[in-house]
Amino acid sequence: MARPIKKGLDYYPRDVDWIRQLPVRKIMRANGPASAAVLDCADGYIYGEQGYFMRYDEDARFLIADDVGVKELFVDEVVNKAVQVGYYDAGMFTGHNILTSEDIQKRYKSAASQKKDNSILAEYSLNQDESKPDNPVSKHGNPTQGVVNTGDNPQSKVKKSKVNKSKTNTTLSPSEEFGVEIWTAYPRSNRNGNYQQAQESYVQAIVTGETTKEQVLAKIDEYKAYIDLNHIQSGFIKSAGNWFTGHLWQSEWDTTTPARKPDNNADSNPAYQNTTDWGQGGKVEM
């Protein structure tokens, strides 16, 4: 039996100023210096396992947190910020739950140029000319020879035109905007729960016209104000998963300043009331 072809890399190149690149600096500003270690660890899994992507699930979150020595919630925060600033592709994260980017895929294609199979799955490809392998592999595991693409295939032209059109369209789908704008807007200390179900609840509400992105963001701000005014501890803040699946953007959150509670230590029967009026003789304490 032929040995399966390894997709991942044994090493990968990295720019010497990687940590000074703008997306990385934004992530570190938002999440602290430990976020660089999380990114480095995640990239290592991406290049080492599949070569150009990693499926982000509970196991991946645990492995990264365990390797770096941080909490899994912190890993979630770093990944969400990385998606928001474009370090990882938002469409692939929200649509396929994977971490990848155009730069990662280009770097993989270059580093894996000598591999028998350095192909990228078409549904994951972010580079229109690289969805097919430079070194295609036959069903027997041997590189095919003499395969020439003249570029005259009408179907390929249609495919390229669709890719070009999609790249120029900057409008996010409801599922994409949930990951980039909505989920990250929720109070970070409780940004946990079932992300997939929360995303589905939001998308369904948008598609059916139940609410809009602006209304949801406004309700999140209202809920934050409610939390601050009432000094609610993090343990009592609703998790993001429950907030979205429960459609709590329909709830009303009282953001008026709470009334001051009466001072229970005040004397309810002050001394000046404990007197008896004896007419002209004056008042005598009882």
Side-chain angles (χ1 to χ4, degrees):
M1 179 181 295
R3 186 173 63 180
I5 299 172
K6 179 183 177 181
K7 290 288 292 182
L9 303 173
D10 294 323
Y11 70 92
Y12 66 94
R14 166 160 283 176
D15 296 334
V16 294
D17 63 343
W18 168 80
I19 204 169
R20 294 193 294 272
Q21 293 176 357
L22 185 59
V24 179
R25 295 179 73 168
K26 288 182 177 180
I27 296 167
M28 293 177 64
R29 172 69 67 86
N31 302 97
S35 57
V38 172
L39 295 176
D40 186 55
C41 183
D43 288 352
Y45 277 115
I46 290 172
Y47 289 111
E49 298 294 332
Q50 296 297 328
Y52 61 93
F53 79 93
M54 177 181 70
R55 191 164 299 282
Y56 189 68
D57 52 20
E58 292 183 3
D59 290 340
R61 186 187 306 113
F62 167 78
L63 290 172
I64 295 172
D66 194 52
D67 287 346
V68 180
V70 296
K71 294 182 178 181
E72 293 181 42
L73 179 60
F74 180 72
V75 176
D76 271 339
E77 293 176 354
V78 173
V79 168
N80 283 325
K81 187 64 178 180
V83 171
Q84 183 182 12
V85 301
Y87 186 85
Y88 295 125
D89 186 80
M92 291 296 165
F93 180 71
T94 58
H96 299 282
N97 290 328
I98 66 170
L99 301 180
T100 188
S101 72
E102 188 172 345
D103 287 341
I104 288 173
Q105 294 185 12
K106 286 181 178 179
R107 192 173 290 116
Y108 168 73
K109 294 289 285 188
S110 176
S113 59
Q114 301 301 317
K115 284 181 171 290
K116 289 183 177 180
D117 181 14
N118 65 348
S119 61
I120 293 177
L121 291 173
E123 58 266 35
Y124 294 167
S125 178
L126 296 170
N127 303 291
Q128 64 181 69
D129 296 327
E130 296 181 359
S131 59
K132 292 185 179 181
D134 290 337
N135 306 318
V137 177
S138 70
K139 64 181 179 179
H140 302 295
N142 299 319
T144 58
Q145 301 294 332
V147 179
V148 178
N149 184 3
T150 64
D152 294 331
N153 188 337
Q155 185 176 357
S156 66
K157 290 183 178 180
V158 172
K159 183 178 180 180
K160 286 184 179 180
S161 66
K162 288 183 178 179
V163 172
N164 288 331
K165 183 177 180 181
S166 65
K167 285 185 176 292
T168 59
N169 184 8
T170 58
T171 303
L172 297 178
S173 67
S175 60
E176 291 172 337
E177 70 185 19
F178 179 81
V180 176
E181 301 179 57
I182 304 299
W183 182 263
T184 55
Y186 199 77
R188 60 186 295 179
S189 60
N190 286 65
R191 203 179 300 152
N192 50 32
N194 193 316
Y195 175 89
Q196 190 69 33
Q197 289 185 4
Q199 181 189 54
E200 291 174 357
S201 298
Y202 172 80
V203 171
Q204 183 181 17
I206 295 296
V207 172
T208 58
E210 175 187 327
T211 188
T212 65
K213 179 184 74 174
E214 291 73 22
Q215 290 172 345
V216 173
L217 287 173
K219 280 297 180 180
I220 292 176
D221 289 339
E222 185 179 295
Y223 185 49
K224 287 180 178 178
Y226 171 81
I227 292 170
D228 291 339
L229 283 171
N230 293 276
H231 306 289
I232 297 176
Q233 300 297 318
S234 61
F236 296 94
I237 299 174
K238 296 182 182 297
S239 70
N242 290 336
W243 200 89
F244 288 105
T245 56
H247 293 215
L248 295 187
W249 56 76
Q250 296 178 339
S251 300
E252 294 296 329
W253 306 100
D254 187 2
T255 57
T256 58
T257 303
R260 185 176 178 180
K261 295 181 179 180
D263 188 356
N264 294 327
N265 295 323
D267 190 349
S268 59
N269 192 20
Y272 69 81
Q273 293 179 347
N274 298 327
T275 60
T276 301
D277 189 354
W278 292 92
Q280 296 182 354
K283 295 180 179 180
V284 180
E285 297 290 339
M286 296 292 292

